[in-house]
Amino acid sequence: MGRYVARRLLLTIPVMLGASFLIFAMVFALPGDPIAALAGDRPLAPAVAAQLRAEFNLNDPLWLQYVKYVGDLFQGDFGTDFAGRPVLDTILDRLPVTAKLALVAILFEIVIGIVAGVLAGIRRNSFFDNLVLVSTTIVVSVPILVLAFLAQFVLGLKLELFPIAGVREGWYSYLLPGLVLAAGSVAYVARLTRTSMAENLRADYVRTARAKGLKPSTVVVRHTLRNSLIPVVTFIGADIGTLMGGAIVTETVFNIPGIGRAVFESIQRQEGAVVVGIVTLLVFFFIFFNLVVDVLYAVLDPRIRYD
């Protein structure tokens, strides 16, 4: 196991370099002049504009800009935005907000998705099973932008059950955006759990457990559920990184000052250092949580071993 983890960590280096270069190239390819956009309606003096372009290496070709960026990155310098603020400070300020939002979304996935999937799998072809199938299909079919506005309008403005913007009310402010962010994932987790439970309930070892006279609850919880959670844990683990990056729309709609909104604002201002720094960090989170999921395989299923 130790050698497997070390090998995966070493493979992270070329993956991070490749991902950061692709992100850097896409930001470089954005149309427009970021220095001109920074000035707004009043154009900067040519000397000032030239100084800013030299300071942010905008006169260099793409490959040279990237080499300088990676060199600074290995020294712990994520760069600075056009206002002179270090990108690392922006990440440290915004990351806890997005982490809280992602945590709330993951809890919704685990509680609602797994519970609904287990009950639907046990009671296959029942009314509850059909309700889960229909509701998850509808949720998956609705774009998250539309879902966010609907939730904000109905649950926030009309029913006044949740705050509609900001994080002034603490954890309570994260419930509605967290539910919106997790909606699609909850549907997938519920369907995945349902399918896995239904398949394992027909397995030979479950029939053997029932033949031994074990209680139905023991058969479901101790024997069936554990094996059924292996693909679910895979999805949830990979989805943590996806939720961190997918919070761009949710944070923008609900005016949450997190990483996703910082990326959106930085794209508008064409601040490449901020976009590349944040997205590269999100790629690292995605790789890290996938590694954690692979290690959890051996915990959930003792038959799985890594050489």
Side-chain angles (χ1 to χ4, degrees):
M1 178 66 76
R3 286 182 296 177
Y4 172 77
V5 173
R7 188 165 62 248
R8 285 289 299 269
L9 290 176
L10 288 176
L11 289 174
T12 300
I13 297 175
V15 172
M16 293 290 295
L17 289 175
S20 62
F21 178 75
L22 289 176
I23 300 163
F24 201 93
M26 287 188 288
V27 173
F28 183 86
L30 287 175
D33 184 359
I35 301 301
L38 178 65
D41 296 332
R42 297 181 179 180
L44 292 174
V48 175
Q51 180 183 355
L52 289 174
R53 287 191 176 91
E55 180 181 351
F56 292 100
N57 303 317
L58 297 179
N59 294 323
D60 298 330
L62 171 63
W63 67 269
L64 184 56
Q65 289 188 37
Y66 180 72
V67 169
K68 290 181 178 180
Y69 174 78
V70 172
D72 293 337
L73 196 62
F74 278 116
Q75 299 176 13
D77 183 8
F78 282 76
T80 59
D81 58 21
F82 291 145
R85 187 187 188 194
V87 175
L88 186 59
D89 290 349
T90 301
I91 293 175
L92 294 178
D93 286 344
R94 303 283 189 114
L95 185 59
V97 177
T98 300
K100 290 179 181 178
L101 181 61
L103 177 61
V104 172
I106 290 295
L107 291 176
F108 277 125
E109 279 190 43
I110 295 173
V111 174
I112 300 177
I114 293 181
V115 171
V118 169
L119 294 178
I122 295 173
R123 304 170 182 176
R124 196 172 183 182
N125 298 323
S126 64
F127 172 77
F128 183 80
D129 182 29
N130 292 326
L131 178 64
V132 169
L133 291 176
V134 172
S135 59
T136 53
T137 302
I138 294 174
V139 170
V140 171
S141 302
V142 179
I144 189 172
L145 181 63
V146 177
L147 194 63
F149 281 119
L150 285 175
Q152 196 176 48
F153 178 75
V154 176
L155 299 178
L157 290 175
K158 291 299 183 180
L159 300 180
E160 298 182 353
L161 297 176
F162 302 98
I164 61 172
V167 292
R168 291 174 296 179
E169 299 188 31
W171 283 97
Y172 189 64
S173 302
Y174 292 92
L175 291 181
L176 186 58
L179 180 61
V180 171
L181 181 61
S185 299
V186 167
Y188 284 119
V189 168
R191 281 177 164 267
L192 187 59
T193 307
R194 171 194 175 274
T195 302
S196 186
M197 284 290 297
E199 290 178 355
N200 283 301
L201 284 172
R202 296 194 298 267
D204 292 337
Y205 68 90
V206 174
R207 285 196 290 266
T208 303
R210 287 171 175 168
K212 289 180 179 179
L214 296 178
K215 296 179 181 179
S217 58
T218 303
V219 173
V220 171
V221 175
R222 188 170 298 179
H223 296 274
T224 311
L225 183 59
R226 182 173 181 175
N227 289 327
S228 300
L229 285 180
I230 294 177
V232 179
V233 169
T234 305
F235 177 84
I236 293 178
D239 200 43
I240 295 177
T242 305
L243 289 176
M244 296 283 286
I248 296 177
V249 175
T250 307
E251 289 182 357
T252 303
V253 172
F254 289 94
N255 197 27
I256 296 176
I259 287 291
R261 188 177 167 199
V263 171
F264 177 75
E265 294 171 350
S266 300
I267 292 174
Q268 287 183 314
R269 294 192 296 263
Q270 293 184 322
E271 293 185 337
V274 181
V275 177
V276 175
I278 293 177
V279 177
T280 302
L281 183 64
L282 295 177
V283 171
F284 172 77
F285 284 145
F286 185 84
I287 295 173
F288 172 76
F289 286 118
N290 273 274
L291 176 59
V292 172
V293 168
D294 288 344
V295 174
L296 285 177
Y297 277 165
V299 177
L300 290 172
D301 191 347
R303 297 171 298 176
I304 298 176
R305 288 292 181 267
Y306 298 110
D307 298 326

